Structures are given as structure tokens and as C-alpha cells.
Amino acid sequence: MGEQGNNKIVPLRRTRSDDPAAAANPFAPFFEEIRRIVREEIQAAMNGGAERLLTAEEAAKLIGCSPDYLYRRAKSLPFVRRIGRMVRFSQRGILAYLEAKSPTGRPKSS
């Protein structure tokens, strides 16, 4: 009977799904999806799996063409990445593109 001192009240951690503010927010699922994507991107960057995006000048040197050519053909090239108004070129995508276009299956050497 005298053991009431052993009964400790431990507060429960609230999860996002238990949070009444999150339940009332219609954008909560959207924010959760953004959090998930950011976590995945951070993990990929930490593991060295981040994709390197090149400027038109860097990509042109890799491919062996002019930056102007890349800008003119940006809509039809599979390795183009648009970030807002900026146009960048995926290094991994360029290498795969060159490998597919090369008759021997290897990118051209400079």
C-alpha cells in the first residue's frame, strides 16, 4: 500500500500523427512527403550517390560540342535538368547518353 512513490508518470512522446496541429493542417501530408524526400537526398549525398549537375560549359567540354548547342537542344536531350529557370546537365546522364550513342559502347575519349 505504501508503494505509491514507485508509480512514476512518464510523458509520452507525441508523434506527428498524434499532433493535433498536424491533423488540422491540410498540408501535413505534403510536408511529410517533402521531409521524406529531403531525408533521402541527404542520405544519398552522404553516401556519395548525389548526382553532379554541370553547367552548359562543363557539359559541352564533356560532350565535345558548344554550350549554345546544348541550350538549343535542351528540350530534346534526356540528361537536362531544370531548376527554376536554370538549366543544368546531369553528368551521370551525359555519360549514359554517350555510352548509348557510341558504336563500341564506350564514351568518346577527349
Side-chain angles (χ1 to χ4, degrees):
M1 282 201 248
E3 299 198 18
Q4 289 179 348
N6 290 338
N7 295 337
K8 292 184 181 179
I9 298 175
V10 179
L12 297 174
R13 279 189 62 202
R14 291 170 75 169
T15 62
R16 287 192 177 103
S17 62
D18 295 337
D19 188 2
N25 186 350
F27 298 107
F30 176 72
F31 292 137
E32 283 299 317
E33 182 67 14
I34 290 174
R35 284 184 190 98
R36 184 188 64 77
I37 291 169
V38 168
R39 272 189 234 105
E40 288 175 2
E41 290 298 319
I42 290 171
Q43 189 64 35
M46 291 173 66
N47 293 335
E51 180 176 30
R52 178 143 191 270
L53 298 177
L54 307 175
T55 63
E57 291 75 20
E58 293 170 325
K61 287 178 187 174
L62 186 61
I63 295 171
C65 65
S66 70
D68 186 52
Y69 173 83
L70 290 175
Y71 283 124
R72 282 185 282 126
R73 306 251 324 174
K75 288 185 179 179
S76 64
L77 295 171
F79 48 82
V80 173
R81 303 290 180 263
R82 292 195 177 273
I83 305 168
R85 294 181 61 176
M86 292 189 308
V87 177
R88 292 293 183 258
F89 304 88
S90 162
Q91 183 178 26
R92 202 176 333 160
I94 290 171
L95 295 175
Y97 178 78
L98 292 175
E99 189 173 316
K101 292 287 185 181
S102 176
T104 61
R106 294 187 315 202
K108 296 188 297 186
S109 60
S110 307

